[in-house]
Amino acid sequence: MDKRKVIAAYRRGFLTIQECAQILGIDSPQIMKLVNDPQMSESKPFALPKSAAKTV
């Protein structure tokens, strides 16, 4: 399972920190590092710039 999705589920309150660590197969100190890592947040969907989205 994608780590970002598991961490997002924890942040939304669907999982406890222990469940999150268990799903990812890591221990509590490691999960706290991942949860606090800004790169583990779900990224926004890719969108084209408005100028690229216009057609001729």
Side-chain angles (χ1 to χ4, degrees), residues 10-38:
Y10 162 72
R11 288 181 176 156
R12 292 182 184 137
F14 294 112
L15 299 172
T16 65
I17 194 71
Q18 291 84 10
E19 291 169 330
C20 188
Q22 185 177 12
I23 290 168
L24 297 175
I26 57 179
D27 57 7
S28 295
Q30 288 178 318
I31 192 65
M32 292 311 295
K33 289 179 187 175
L34 284 177
V35 167
N36 294 326
D37 186 355

Side-chain angles (χ1 to χ4, degrees), residues 30-55:
Q30 288 178 318
I31 192 65
M32 292 311 295
K33 289 179 187 175
L34 284 177
V35 167
N36 294 326
D37 186 355
Q39 291 183 341
M40 282 294 139
S41 64
E42 288 192 76
S43 59
K44 295 180 181 177
F46 177 75
L48 292 173
K50 289 184 180 181
S51 59
K54 294 180 182 178
T55 57

